[in-house]
Amino acid sequence: MTTPLQKTSRLFIAIPLPEFLKDALQECQEWLSSYPEMKEIKDWIEISKMHITLHFLGDVSHQKISQIQEIVSQIAKQAPLTLTMKDIGTFEKNELPYVLWVGILKNEALSDLYEKLAQKLEEIDIEIENTNVENYNPHVTLAYIRTDDETKKAMKERLQKIIVGEIGVWDSNKIELLSSTPTREGSVYKVIS
């Protein structure tokens, strides 16, 4: 028996990172993991998978992919963006961290890009998680924190004492459409355009 052809792909739109920043982020992961409180983090993100997500699209019909590719191509021509990577932070649930990230300073050009993408995607009936630029928190995920609450509290206390300044500034003129396929070893990303 043959399996039916997959009719959707899980997609997202992201800004890739330059190599010098990937190297800096690898050093940052190694440095953070040297703290005793941080040794419980097992889910450090692979450097090759790091990016700045603009919009997560979810499962999208293959019929729409060419339209999305065209939108990404058009919007990318409006770049370059000057981006600044700075500071570390966490997303929290019940005041406990579950995602560790490095921030990207939001600026007018990045906000415009975010809003234009949202508008164009809505025009072709693509539902996106967040269309409000005020709620957009540009970042690069460093790790997922999956451990007990006491360890999370210790990590939170440690992170509040760590000050990370500017990590890097760069001009970006690239936006990518990627697919994400879940596997037992984690999600596999593939650049579509």
Side-chain angles (χ1 to χ4, degrees), residues 36-41 93-97 145-159:
E37 300 89 343
M38 310 301 275
K39 294 221 183 278
E40 290 301 312
I41 296 179
K93 192 180 287 180
N94 301 322
E95 297 185 18
L96 293 174
I145 302 171
R146 298 180 176 111
T147 186
D148 63 86
D149 288 356
E150 284 307 309
T151 304
K152 287 182 178 182
K153 282 179 191 169
M155 288 179 187
K156 182 176 178 175
E157 286 174 19
R158 168 57 66 191
L159 289 167

PDB file of all heavy atoms in Angstrom, residues 36-41 93-97 145-159:
ATOM      1  N   PRO A  36      27.139  26.361  36.547  1.00  0.00           N
ATOM      2  CA  PRO A  36      26.561  25.144  37.135  1.00  0.00           C
ATOM      3  C   PRO A  36      25.038  25.059  36.950  1.00  0.00           C
ATOM      4  O   PRO A  36      24.500  23.988  36.663  1.00  0.00           O
ATOM      5  CB  PRO A  36      26.925  25.248  38.621  1.00  0.00           C
ATOM      6  CG  PRO A  36      28.088  26.166  38.685  1.00  0.00           C
ATOM      7  CD  PRO A  36      27.969  27.098  37.522  1.00  0.00           C
ATOM      8  N   GLU A  37      24.357  26.200  37.099  1.00  0.00           N
ATOM      9  CA  GLU A  37      22.885  26.199  36.973  1.00  0.00           C
ATOM     10  C   GLU A  37      22.432  25.835  35.565  1.00  0.00           C
ATOM     11  O   GLU A  37      21.299  25.381  35.366  1.00  0.00           O
ATOM     12  CB  GLU A  37      22.306  27.587  37.317  1.00  0.00           C
ATOM     13  CG  GLU A  37      22.612  28.054  38.712  1.00  0.00           C
ATOM     14  CD  GLU A  37      23.922  28.832  38.812  1.00  0.00           C
ATOM     15  OE1 GLU A  37      24.759  28.761  37.887  1.00  0.00           O
ATOM     16  OE2 GLU A  37      24.105  29.502  39.821  1.00  0.00           O
ATOM     17  N   MET A  38      23.277  26.066  34.577  1.00  0.00           N
ATOM     18  CA  MET A  38      22.879  25.894  33.180  1.00  0.00           C
ATOM     19  C   MET A  38      23.221  24.503  32.641  1.00  0.00           C
ATOM     20  O   MET A  38      22.889  24.169  31.517  1.00  0.00           O
ATOM     21  CB  MET A  38      23.556  26.953  32.307  1.00  0.00           C
ATOM     22  CG  MET A  38      23.412  28.369  32.827  1.00  0.00           C
ATOM     23  SD  MET A  38      21.705  28.908  32.997  1.00  0.00           S
ATOM     24  CE  MET A  38      21.418  29.465  31.353  1.00  0.00           C
ATOM     25  N   LYS A  39      23.894  23.701  33.451  1.00  0.00           N
ATOM     26  CA  LYS A  39      24.329  22.380  32.971  1.00  0.00           C
ATOM     27  C   LYS A  39      23.158  21.445  32.669  1.00  0.00           C
ATOM     28  O   LYS A  39      23.318  20.467  31.951  1.00  0.00           O
ATOM     29  CB  LYS A  39      25.269  21.735  33.993  1.00  0.00           C
ATOM     30  CG  LYS A  39      26.576  22.509  34.126  1.00  0.00           C
ATOM     31  CD  LYS A  39      27.759  21.607  34.229  1.00  0.00           C
ATOM     32  CE  LYS A  39      29.037  22.372  34.428  1.00  0.00           C
ATOM     33  NZ  LYS A  39      29.620  22.900  33.240  1.00  0.00           N
ATOM     34  N   GLU A  40      21.981  21.754  33.245  1.00  0.00           N
ATOM     35  CA  GLU A  40      20.805  20.902  33.015  1.00  0.00           C
ATOM     36  C   GLU A  40      20.181  21.126  31.635  1.00  0.00           C
ATOM     37  O   GLU A  40      19.304  20.375  31.232  1.00  0.00           O
ATOM     38  CB  GLU A  40      19.747  21.149  34.093  1.00  0.00           C
ATOM     39  CG  GLU A  40      20.140  20.635  35.463  1.00  0.00           C
ATOM     40  CD  GLU A  40      20.406  19.134  35.475  1.00  0.00           C
ATOM     41  OE1 GLU A  40      19.582  18.379  34.935  1.00  0.00           O
ATOM     42  OE2 GLU A  40      21.449  18.725  36.020  1.00  0.00           O
ATOM     43  N   ILE A  41      20.611  22.169  30.941  1.00  0.00           N
ATOM     44  CA  ILE A  41      20.057  22.403  29.593  1.00  0.00           C
ATOM     45  C   ILE A  41      20.628  21.361  28.649  1.00  0.00           C
ATOM     46  O   ILE A  41      21.839  21.277  28.457  1.00  0.00           O
ATOM     47  CB  ILE A  41      20.365  23.828  29.089  1.00  0.00           C
ATOM     48  CG1 ILE A  41      19.675  24.868  29.977  1.00  0.00           C
ATOM     49  CG2 ILE A  41      19.914  23.983  27.629  1.00  0.00           C
ATOM     50  CD1 ILE A  41      19.940  26.304  29.582  1.00  0.00           C
ATOM     51  N   LYS A  93       6.868  30.831  31.254  1.00  0.00           N
ATOM     52  CA  LYS A  93       5.525  30.328  31.528  1.00  0.00           C
ATOM     53  C   LYS A  93       5.455  30.159  33.037  1.00  0.00           C
ATOM     54  O   LYS A  93       6.355  29.560  33.631  1.00  0.00           O
ATOM     55  CB  LYS A  93       5.322  28.984  30.821  1.00  0.00           C
ATOM     56  CG  LYS A  93       3.889  28.513  30.808  1.00  0.00           C
ATOM     57  CD  LYS A  93       3.771  27.172  30.100  1.00  0.00           C
ATOM     58  CE  LYS A  93       3.944  27.346  28.599  1.00  0.00           C
ATOM     59  NZ  LYS A  93       3.837  26.092  27.866  1.00  0.00           N
ATOM     60  N   ASN A  94       4.424  30.748  33.666  1.00  0.00           N
ATOM     61  CA  ASN A  94       4.317  30.734  35.133  1.00  0.00           C
ATOM     62  C   ASN A  94       5.584  31.280  35.792  1.00  0.00           C
ATOM     63  O   ASN A  94       6.062  30.741  36.796  1.00  0.00           O
ATOM     64  CB  ASN A  94       4.016  29.322  35.650  1.00  0.00           C
ATOM     65  CG  ASN A  94       2.726  28.769  35.077  1.00  0.00           C
ATOM     66  OD1 ASN A  94       1.763  29.496  34.919  1.00  0.00           O
ATOM     67  ND2 ASN A  94       2.725  27.495  34.757  1.00  0.00           N
ATOM     68  N   GLU A  95       6.135  32.326  35.178  1.00  0.00           N
ATOM     69  CA  GLU A  95       7.327  33.020  35.679  1.00  0.00           C
ATOM     70  C   GLU A  95       8.584  32.157  35.690  1.00  0.00           C
ATOM     71  O   GLU A  95       9.571  32.481  36.343  1.00  0.00           O
ATOM     72  CB  GLU A  95       7.065  33.614  37.074  1.00  0.00           C
ATOM     73  CG  GLU A  95       5.974  34.660  37.065  1.00  0.00           C
ATOM     74  CD  GLU A  95       5.794  35.345  38.409  1.00  0.00           C
ATOM     75  OE1 GLU A  95       6.703  35.277  39.263  1.00  0.00           O
ATOM     76  OE2 GLU A  95       4.744  35.968  38.584  1.00  0.00           O
ATOM     77  N   LEU A  96       8.558  31.059  34.931  1.00  0.00           N
ATOM     78  CA  LEU A  96       9.735  30.197  34.819  1.00  0.00           C
ATOM     79  C   LEU A  96      10.162  30.115  33.356  1.00  0.00           C
ATOM     80  O   LEU A  96       9.316  30.002  32.458  1.00  0.00           O
ATOM     81  CB  LEU A  96       9.424  28.797  35.351  1.00  0.00           C
ATOM     82  CG  LEU A  96       9.154  28.712  36.858  1.00  0.00           C
ATOM     83  CD1 LEU A  96       8.723  27.306  37.231  1.00  0.00           C
ATOM     84  CD2 LEU A  96      10.380  29.134  37.668  1.00  0.00           C
ATOM     85  N   PRO A  97      11.475  30.178  33.080  1.00  0.00           N
ATOM     86  CA  PRO A  97      11.940  30.180  31.689  1.00  0.00           C
ATOM     87  C   PRO A  97      11.756  28.825  31.006  1.00  0.00           C
ATOM     88  O   PRO A  97      11.938  27.787  31.626  1.00  0.00           O
ATOM     89  CB  PRO A  97      13.430  30.511  31.835  1.00  0.00           C
ATOM     90  CG  PRO A  97      13.798  30.063  33.206  1.00  0.00           C
ATOM     91  CD  PRO A  97      12.576  30.227  34.053  1.00  0.00           C
ATOM     92  N   ILE A 145      14.466  25.048  27.486  1.00  0.00           N
ATOM     93  CA  ILE A 145      14.739  24.665  28.873  1.00  0.00           C
ATOM     94  C   ILE A 145      13.656  23.688  29.318  1.00  0.00           C
ATOM     95  O   ILE A 145      12.513  24.073  29.556  1.00  0.00           O
ATOM     96  CB  ILE A 145      14.783  25.912  29.791  1.00  0.00           C
ATOM     97  CG1 ILE A 145      15.849  26.891  29.285  1.00  0.00           C
ATOM     98  CG2 ILE A 145      15.032  25.511  31.231  1.00  0.00           C
ATOM     99  CD1 ILE A 145      15.832  28.247  29.966  1.00  0.00           C
ATOM    100  N   ARG A 146      14.027  22.421  29.396  1.00  0.00           N
ATOM    101  CA  ARG A 146      13.091  21.377  29.803  1.00  0.00           C
ATOM    102  C   ARG A 146      13.672  20.673  31.027  1.00  0.00           C
ATOM    103  O   ARG A 146      14.465  19.743  30.893  1.00  0.00           O
ATOM    104  CB  ARG A 146      12.876  20.374  28.662  1.00  0.00           C
ATOM    105  CG  ARG A 146      12.267  21.011  27.429  1.00  0.00           C
ATOM    106  CD  ARG A 146      12.068  19.979  26.327  1.00  0.00           C
ATOM    107  NE  ARG A 146      11.407  20.555  25.172  1.00  0.00           N
ATOM    108  CZ  ARG A 146      11.969  20.764  23.992  1.00  0.00           C
ATOM    109  NH1 ARG A 146      13.234  20.451  23.802  1.00  0.00           N
ATOM    110  NH2 ARG A 146      11.282  21.282  23.001  1.00  0.00           N
ATOM    111  N   THR A 147      13.295  21.173  32.173  1.00  0.00           N
ATOM    112  CA  THR A 147      13.810  20.607  33.419  1.00  0.00           C
ATOM    113  C   THR A 147      12.821  20.912  34.535  1.00  0.00           C
ATOM    114  O   THR A 147      11.764  21.511  34.288  1.00  0.00           O
ATOM    115  CB  THR A 147      15.233  21.160  33.713  1.00  0.00           C
ATOM    116  OG1 THR A 147      15.760  20.490  34.832  1.00  0.00           O
ATOM    117  CG2 THR A 147      15.236  22.649  33.933  1.00  0.00           C
ATOM    118  N   ASP A 148      13.142  20.541  35.758  1.00  0.00           N
ATOM    119  CA  ASP A 148      12.208  20.759  36.873  1.00  0.00           C
ATOM    120  C   ASP A 148      12.181  22.234  37.273  1.00  0.00           C
ATOM    121  O   ASP A 148      13.077  23.015  36.937  1.00  0.00           O
ATOM    122  CB  ASP A 148      12.610  19.872  38.070  1.00  0.00           C
ATOM    123  CG  ASP A 148      13.988  20.232  38.599  1.00  0.00           C
ATOM    124  OD1 ASP A 148      14.075  21.149  39.433  1.00  0.00           O
ATOM    125  OD2 ASP A 148      14.978  19.601  38.161  1.00  0.00           O
ATOM    126  N   ASP A 149      11.144  22.612  38.024  1.00  0.00           N
ATOM    127  CA  ASP A 149      10.927  24.016  38.384  1.00  0.00           C
ATOM    128  C   ASP A 149      12.048  24.601  39.229  1.00  0.00           C
ATOM    129  O   ASP A 149      12.418  25.765  39.049  1.00  0.00           O
ATOM    130  CB  ASP A 149       9.589  24.171  39.123  1.00  0.00           C
ATOM    131  CG  ASP A 149       8.388  24.012  38.187  1.00  0.00           C
ATOM    132  OD1 ASP A 149       8.609  23.860  36.966  1.00  0.00           O
ATOM    133  OD2 ASP A 149       7.243  24.043  38.677  1.00  0.00           O
ATOM    134  N   GLU A 150      12.613  23.820  40.150  1.00  0.00           N
ATOM    135  CA  GLU A 150      13.692  24.334  40.992  1.00  0.00           C
ATOM    136  C   GLU A 150      14.918  24.705  40.150  1.00  0.00           C
ATOM    137  O   GLU A 150      15.547  25.738  40.375  1.00  0.00           O
ATOM    138  CB  GLU A 150      14.073  23.309  42.073  1.00  0.00           C
ATOM    139  CG  GLU A 150      13.090  23.231  43.214  1.00  0.00           C
ATOM    140  CD  GLU A 150      12.790  24.583  43.861  1.00  0.00           C
ATOM    141  OE1 GLU A 150      13.757  25.304  44.220  1.00  0.00           O
ATOM    142  OE2 GLU A 150      11.606  24.939  43.985  1.00  0.00           O
ATOM    143  N   THR A 151      15.220  23.860  39.187  1.00  0.00           N
ATOM    144  CA  THR A 151      16.360  24.143  38.305  1.00  0.00           C
ATOM    145  C   THR A 151      16.068  25.377  37.459  1.00  0.00           C
ATOM    146  O   THR A 151      16.950  26.221  37.258  1.00  0.00           O
ATOM    147  CB  THR A 151      16.659  22.920  37.414  1.00  0.00           C
ATOM    148  OG1 THR A 151      16.869  21.787  38.253  1.00  0.00           O
ATOM    149  CG2 THR A 151      17.891  23.140  36.559  1.00  0.00           C
ATOM    150  N   LYS A 152      14.837  25.496  36.980  1.00  0.00           N
ATOM    151  CA  LYS A 152      14.458  26.681  36.201  1.00  0.00           C
ATOM    152  C   LYS A 152      14.598  27.954  37.034  1.00  0.00           C
ATOM    153  O   LYS A 152      15.048  28.984  36.526  1.00  0.00           O
ATOM    154  CB  LYS A 152      13.029  26.540  35.674  1.00  0.00           C
ATOM    155  CG  LYS A 152      12.894  25.552  34.540  1.00  0.00           C
ATOM    156  CD  LYS A 152      11.459  25.503  34.049  1.00  0.00           C
ATOM    157  CE  LYS A 152      11.322  24.537  32.877  1.00  0.00           C
ATOM    158  NZ  LYS A 152       9.966  24.500  32.348  1.00  0.00           N
ATOM    159  N   LYS A 153      14.202  27.881  38.306  1.00  0.00           N
ATOM    160  CA  LYS A 153      14.343  29.056  39.189  1.00  0.00           C
ATOM    161  C   LYS A 153      15.812  29.432  39.347  1.00  0.00           C
ATOM    162  O   LYS A 153      16.173  30.611  39.298  1.00  0.00           O
ATOM    163  CB  LYS A 153      13.743  28.753  40.579  1.00  0.00           C
ATOM    164  CG  LYS A 153      12.239  28.823  40.622  1.00  0.00           C
ATOM    165  CD  LYS A 153      11.742  28.495  42.023  1.00  0.00           C
ATOM    166  CE  LYS A 153      10.227  28.310  41.989  1.00  0.00           C
ATOM    167  NZ  LYS A 153       9.709  27.738  43.246  1.00  0.00           N
ATOM    168  N   ALA A 154      16.677  28.443  39.530  1.00  0.00           N
ATOM    169  CA  ALA A 154      18.116  28.707  39.663  1.00  0.00           C
ATOM    170  C   ALA A 154      18.673  29.315  38.377  1.00  0.00           C
ATOM    171  O   ALA A 154      19.486  30.249  38.416  1.00  0.00           O
ATOM    172  CB  ALA A 154      18.856  27.412  40.010  1.00  0.00           C
ATOM    173  N   MET A 155      18.212  28.792  37.217  1.00  0.00           N
ATOM    174  CA  MET A 155      18.649  29.350  35.929  1.00  0.00           C
ATOM    175  C   MET A 155      18.205  30.800  35.785  1.00  0.00           C
ATOM    176  O   MET A 155      18.982  31.658  35.352  1.00  0.00           O
ATOM    177  CB  MET A 155      18.071  28.528  34.777  1.00  0.00           C
ATOM    178  CG  MET A 155      18.697  27.177  34.601  1.00  0.00           C
ATOM    179  SD  MET A 155      17.905  26.322  33.223  1.00  0.00           S
ATOM    180  CE  MET A 155      18.665  24.706  33.369  1.00  0.00           C
ATOM    181  N   LYS A 156      16.966  31.066  36.167  1.00  0.00           N
ATOM    182  CA  LYS A 156      16.433  32.428  36.056  1.00  0.00           C
ATOM    183  C   LYS A 156      17.264  33.390  36.909  1.00  0.00           C
ATOM    184  O   LYS A 156      17.627  34.476  36.450  1.00  0.00           O
ATOM    185  CB  LYS A 156      14.965  32.444  36.495  1.00  0.00           C
ATOM    186  CG  LYS A 156      14.317  33.806  36.380  1.00  0.00           C
ATOM    187  CD  LYS A 156      12.844  33.737  36.727  1.00  0.00           C
ATOM    188  CE  LYS A 156      12.202  35.114  36.650  1.00  0.00           C
ATOM    189  NZ  LYS A 156      10.761  35.060  36.871  1.00  0.00           N
ATOM    190  N   GLU A 157      17.590  32.976  38.139  1.00  0.00           N
ATOM    191  CA  GLU A 157      18.405  33.820  39.015  1.00  0.00           C
ATOM    192  C   GLU A 157      19.789  34.064  38.417  1.00  0.00           C
ATOM    193  O   GLU A 157      20.307  35.175  38.462  1.00  0.00           O
ATOM    194  CB  GLU A 157      18.523  33.175  40.397  1.00  0.00           C
ATOM    195  CG  GLU A 157      17.254  33.272  41.210  1.00  0.00           C
ATOM    196  CD  GLU A 157      17.314  32.507  42.520  1.00  0.00           C
ATOM    197  OE1 GLU A 157      18.440  32.187  42.984  1.00  0.00           O
ATOM    198  OE2 GLU A 157      16.238  32.229  43.075  1.00  0.00           O
ATOM    199  N   ARG A 158      20.382  33.038  37.843  1.00  0.00           N
ATOM    200  CA  ARG A 158      21.701  33.187  37.211  1.00  0.00           C
ATOM    201  C   ARG A 158      21.609  34.146  36.030  1.00  0.00           C
ATOM    202  O   ARG A 158      22.429  35.046  35.880  1.00  0.00           O
ATOM    203  CB  ARG A 158      22.215  31.811  36.767  1.00  0.00           C
ATOM    204  CG  ARG A 158      23.435  31.862  35.848  1.00  0.00           C
ATOM    205  CD  ARG A 158      24.623  32.597  36.416  1.00  0.00           C
ATOM    206  NE  ARG A 158      25.180  31.908  37.562  1.00  0.00           N
ATOM    207  CZ  ARG A 158      26.092  32.441  38.371  1.00  0.00           C
ATOM    208  NH1 ARG A 158      26.564  33.656  38.155  1.00  0.00           N
ATOM    209  NH2 ARG A 158      26.559  31.763  39.393  1.00  0.00           N
ATOM    210  N   LEU A 159      20.618  33.944  35.185  1.00  0.00           N
ATOM    211  CA  LEU A 159      20.493  34.768  33.971  1.00  0.00           C
ATOM    212  C   LEU A 159      20.266  36.241  34.301  1.00  0.00           C
ATOM    213  O   LEU A 159      20.700  37.116  33.561  1.00  0.00           O
ATOM    214  CB  LEU A 159      19.367  34.237  33.080  1.00  0.00           C
ATOM    215  CG  LEU A 159      19.668  32.901  32.394  1.00  0.00           C
ATOM    216  CD1 LEU A 159      18.409  32.293  31.801  1.00  0.00           C
ATOM    217  CD2 LEU A 159      20.737  33.070  31.329  1.00  0.00           C
TER     218      LEU A 159
END
